[in-house]
Amino acid sequence: MTVALATALLLTSCGGSSDDAGGGSGSDDVLRVATEGTYAPFSFHDPESNELTGYDVEVAQAVGDELGMQVEFSETQFDAIFAGLEADRYDVIANQIGVNPERQAKYLFSTPYTYSNGVVITRADDTSVSSLADIAGKSSAQSTTSNFAEVATGAGATIEAVEGFTQAITLLKQERVDVTVNDSLAFLEYQKTTGDQDVKIAAEIDDASESAFAFRKDETDLQTRVDGALETLKADGTLAELSEKYFGEDVSAE
């Protein structure tokens, strides 16, 4: 099944693609997947076709195909995505969910399918930041429930809440915040797509980020099945192929 068809099925059955669209319990043959739809190159709408696509979207679709399940996507703002999972609006989150101890205490995670580094992004003319420690006392635009918000807070920054990466960059360029901490792959894709030279990577975060699918704590069976599908997709080269498609390198392996 194509991503476009899966999305169309969701719109037909649920009347929309908002956070409220995926209400009700799932079934054995349907995998309900939550994603932002605004976070290129992981989850976004193709500018020409307007179809939902991206690395996370295609990995989720490949998992569904491997499990013989119909995939239904629900699009929601990141800061509402875990609440929707807990409310059983969907079965799994596919949106570059970073694995950390705090989240592991609340949710189950699949085997990671993305390994990348975080970066500190500043305006191009800002020379005050050369390491993560330099953001102490500065304002940082972040999705408040993201891993990167936690990193920025831990480094002493004051958080300015945003809905996603694009808004963070906008506030940064408008000089309404000093920095934003985000995924290096997202920034490189943004710069490649837009050619924007008004912002830059000022510093890299040493610890590599691992991103995985997130499930409710009671979904151990689904977690096991998805892990099996990811193992197959890694062994047959599908994850590497999708990585090369979106990033020009294999980000699915450490």
Side-chain angles (χ1 to χ4, degrees):
M1 182 186 296
T2 66
V3 171
L5 178 56
T7 306
L9 286 170
L10 173 64
L11 296 174
T12 301
S13 62
C14 301
S17 60
S18 70
D19 180 43
D20 296 326
S25 298
S27 64
D28 290 340
D29 58 353
V30 176
L31 184 64
R32 301 172 303 158
V33 179
T35 194
E36 271 183 289
T38 58
Y39 190 33
F42 306 107
S43 171
F44 66 102
H45 284 263
D46 184 283
E48 294 184 2
S49 66
N50 201 38
E51 292 182 358
L52 181 66
T53 189
Y55 176 68
D56 286 56
V57 172
E58 290 209 45
V59 172
Q61 186 62 64
V63 166
D65 290 344
E66 188 64 33
L67 296 177
M69 301 178 74
Q70 172 185 309
V71 179
E72 293 182 347
F73 291 96
S74 287
E75 296 177 52
T76 182
Q77 294 177 3
F78 188 85
D79 286 342
I81 210 163
F82 284 101
L85 181 67
E86 293 167 4
D88 196 22
R89 293 188 182 124
Y90 25 80
D91 307 306
V92 59
I93 302 172
N95 202 89
Q96 285 299 291
I97 302 300
V99 181
N100 63 35
E102 182 180 353
R103 287 177 177 164
Q104 287 175 313
K106 297 179 180 179
Y107 309 102
L108 298 177
F109 286 90
S110 70
T111 302
Y113 60 91
T114 314
Y115 298 86
S116 62
N117 284 82
V119 292
V120 179
I121 304 165
T122 67
R123 289 180 291 278
D125 60 357
D126 186 348
T127 60
S128 67
V129 177
S130 59
S131 70
L132 180 62
D134 292 333
I135 74 172
K138 294 184 181 293
S139 56
S140 186
Q142 308 292 156
S143 297
T144 56
T145 56
S146 70
N147 248 17
F148 293 119
E150 186 174 321
V151 170
T153 300
T158 301
I159 301 302
E160 178 73 24
V162 295
E163 294 178 3
F165 179 79
T166 301
Q167 187 181 9
I169 294 295
T170 298
L171 293 188
L172 180 61
K173 292 176 65 175
Q174 292 174 345
E175 299 188 15
R176 293 166 62 185
V177 296
D178 302 310
V179 302
T180 183
V181 181
N182 213 289
D183 191 281
S184 60
L185 298 175
F187 177 77
L188 293 173
E189 170 66 17
Y190 167 79
Q191 203 162 51
K192 181 180 75 174
T193 303
T194 65
D196 189 351
Q197 297 299 313
D198 294 332
V199 288
K200 67 179 182 182
I201 292 176
E204 295 188 357
I205 299 171
D206 292 336
D207 294 336
S209 172
E210 298 181 355
S211 296
F213 295 119
F215 314 86
R216 288 183 298 280
K217 277 287 191 179
D218 60 354
E219 291 283 9
T220 54
D221 180 63
L222 180 59
Q223 176 200 36
T224 299
R225 292 162 62 203
V226 168
D227 275 350
L230 287 171
E231 184 177 349
T232 299
L233 294 170
K234 185 173 183 177
D236 69 12
T238 299
L239 292 184
E241 182 179 340
L242 291 175
S243 292
E244 290 286 346
K245 174 181 177 179
Y246 285 99
F247 310 112
E249 61 183 272
D250 187 3
V251 301
S252 67
E254 290 184 272

